Amino acid sequence: MMRVMLLDGQYSHSLPIAAELATDLGAEVIGVAPSKRSHLHRSRYVAEKLIAPLAVSDDYGAHVLDLVSRVRPDVVVPVGYYSFRSLIPLRSKFPESTAFLAPAAHAFAIAEDKVATYDLAAEVGVDHPRSMTDVVTSGDIGQIRFPIFVKARMERGGQSTALVRDAQALRSLDVESLGGDVLFQEYIDAEPYTYAHSGYYEDGVPVAEHQHLELRSVPRRGGSGTRLRTFHDPELRKHANSLMLALRWNGVAQVEFKRRKDGGYALMEINPKFWASYALASRSGARIAATAVARLAGRPLGAVRPTRDLEMVFPVREALHVASNLRTESIAGAVKAILWPPAVWDIEFTDLWANVPLRTRRPHSGRSGL
């Protein structure tokens, strides 16, 4: 039986990945999370549950290497950005019998840095937002055409974007809340939606692909999707895959775009990890995780599932955001977004308990365990 070590079990989107690996591949899923209360450690699809600190911990890589050397999985699958970032430099220390689902270090470095990403886009002819950083840093506010968009230069967790509507808002902007190192760029205001092309790639060539249109997210700009639908556009595919080919990408990734008033796509970012709305891709038949793991392990994937168009809501994510922002959010609006028009929920009800978020009682001590 194939043994797959799935990391970052504190993220709810580790659940559809685990379900897919167990269902499609018959894999024995070894879940790694910082707490027994984590989502993955309450899932019926996990055969073995291990503890490791959060990936932002300095000793995270050493703990994972220790677990891998003891368990000897066939494939190690990170989910979150910091796991990829911590483990990619250590991939040579994995046992020869263990495959690691991650891109090359140089490709990941470009994808995580938005300046490098936009430089790459310019090289391959993919449109991207015009930079306003030089104008803003020069202090000549009178030359700025508001609104402008602000985003963290490097990939990070938590809030990483802001819309600045006027000079007063710019003066009061707390860039440290966005990570400190930020980019200022034109605001593409044609529509609020985000378009994404996702997939598993080998040397930049797509093996499994999926597209979605993000209708609603939390936070409302640049956040994780709470209502999405499948989408199909050859032009979107062309732009995304040209970037992946230029990077000779190996692994999973999501390329996100906004649409201009003329209908053209402008690149937002390359998401070099599993994305928070992965449940939509999986449920619609684009079994990206299973395809990646099967090919890395040299195992047959089995019958290809038919794809279907879906609209999906993420009710827990939406509800938690509204509950934390009652002064600015509408409960009625959130309920409507969840219930109407009817759409499938990301929650698999046969694994309901695992989807319920539980507060971690205390931080993990940093000691790995079996």
Side-chain angles (χ1 to χ4, degrees):
M1 177 181 291
M2 185 191 309
R3 289 162 56 82
V4 181
M5 180 176 285
L6 181 59
L7 308 179
D8 302 302
Q10 71 275 17
Y11 296 127
S12 61
H13 57 291
S14 66
L15 296 174
I17 300 172
E20 187 177 313
L21 297 176
T23 301
D24 287 18
L25 304 179
E28 179 181 327
V29 178
I30 304 161
V32 179
S35 166
K36 293 180 179 179
R37 297 166 66 86
S38 298
H39 289 285
L40 197 58
H41 279 194
R42 292 179 281 126
S43 173
R44 71 187 185 94
Y45 293 107
V46 175
E48 191 172 352
K49 303 166 184 178
L50 311 181
I51 298 295
L54 290 169
V56 292
S57 302
D58 292 338
D59 55 353
Y60 174 75
H63 281 284
V64 172
L65 286 176
D66 178 57
L67 292 177
V68 170
S69 68
R70 293 155 65 184
V71 176
R72 298 282 172 156
D74 295 293
V75 184
V76 175
V77 179
V79 175
Y81 163 71
Y82 288 105
S83 280
F84 281 96
R85 188 180 185 188
S86 296
L87 295 175
I88 285 174
L90 303 177
R91 69 189 315 154
S92 63
K93 297 184 179 181
F94 280 51
E96 290 186 5
S97 60
T98 298
F100 179 43
L101 178 56
H106 72 276
F108 185 83
I110 292 173
E112 70 172 341
D113 183 338
K114 293 178 181 61
V115 170
T117 296
Y118 294 148
D119 287 343
L120 177 69
E123 290 177 12
V124 299
V126 172
D127 185 24
H128 55 282
R130 184 176 70 257
S131 175
M132 305 291 293
T133 301
D134 289 344
V135 177
V136 172
T137 55
S138 72
D140 190 1
I141 294 180
Q143 297 298 314
I144 301 173
R145 184 176 179 179
F146 292 98
I148 59 175
F149 200 64
V150 189
K151 63 173 62 173
R153 171 175 174 165
M154 304 296 291
E155 183 74 23
R156 65 189 296 267
Q159 181 69 25
S160 61
T161 64
L163 177 63
V164 177
R165 297 187 178 279
D166 52 38
Q168 182 177 350
L170 179 60
R171 294 187 186 97
S172 61
L173 177 68
D174 179 13
V175 296
E176 294 303 321
S177 67
L178 304 179
D181 186 5
V182 300
L183 306 178
F184 298 88
Q185 58 188 210
E186 66 168 313
Y187 175 58
I188 299 173
D189 62 351
E191 56 184 19
Y193 309 131
T194 300
Y195 298 80
H197 186 91
S198 312
Y200 167 64
Y201 295 82
E202 293 178 352
D203 288 328
V205 177
V207 179
E209 300 173 275
H210 181 260
Q211 290 182 2
H212 73 234
L213 168 60
E214 184 179 287
L215 302 168
R216 188 176 177 92
S217 66
V218 294
R220 299 307 181 197
R221 299 185 190 89
S224 299
T226 60
R227 190 172 188 113
L228 307 94
R229 72 166 67 113
T230 51
F231 187 71
H232 309 278
D233 189 338
E235 191 70 13
L236 182 66
R237 181 180 190 271
K238 174 185 174 183
H239 292 321
N241 287 349
S242 67
L243 292 164
M244 294 292 99
L245 184 60
L247 289 170
R248 309 290 296 182
W249 193 266
N250 284 287
V252 299
Q254 179 184 82
V255 190
E256 294 184 300
F257 297 83
K258 289 287 189 180
R259 213 167 195 173
R260 296 187 182 274
K261 291 181 179 179
D262 64 3
Y265 292 105
L267 174 68
M268 292 292 101
E269 64 181 7
I270 299 173
N271 203 355
K273 62 181 181 61
F274 277 100
W275 45 104
S277 58
Y278 181 77
L280 175 62
S282 184
R283 198 85 63 86
S284 63
R287 313 291 270 195
I288 293 169
T291 300
V293 169
R295 290 180 69 91
L296 283 175
R299 308 288 179 86
L301 180 59
V304 177
R305 290 173 174 254
T307 59
R308 56 178 178 152
D309 289 337
L310 284 180
E311 187 157 338
M312 178 175 283
V313 294
F314 294 71
V316 173
R317 188 179 299 158
E318 177 75 22
L320 288 175
H321 174 77
V322 173
S324 301
N325 298 272
L326 291 175
R327 291 185 178 181
T328 57
E329 291 288 340
S330 165
I331 296 176
V335 172
K336 180 180 178 182
I338 291 172
L339 299 178
W340 192 261
V344 299
W345 287 18
D346 72 302
I347 296 170
E348 183 178 332
F349 288 98
T350 60
D351 205 23
L352 179 61
W353 173 236
N355 285 272
V356 176
L358 298 179
R359 185 182 298 274
T360 303
R361 289 172 179 167
R362 60 184 178 181
H364 176 250
S365 64
R367 182 181 178 184
S368 62
L370 293 174

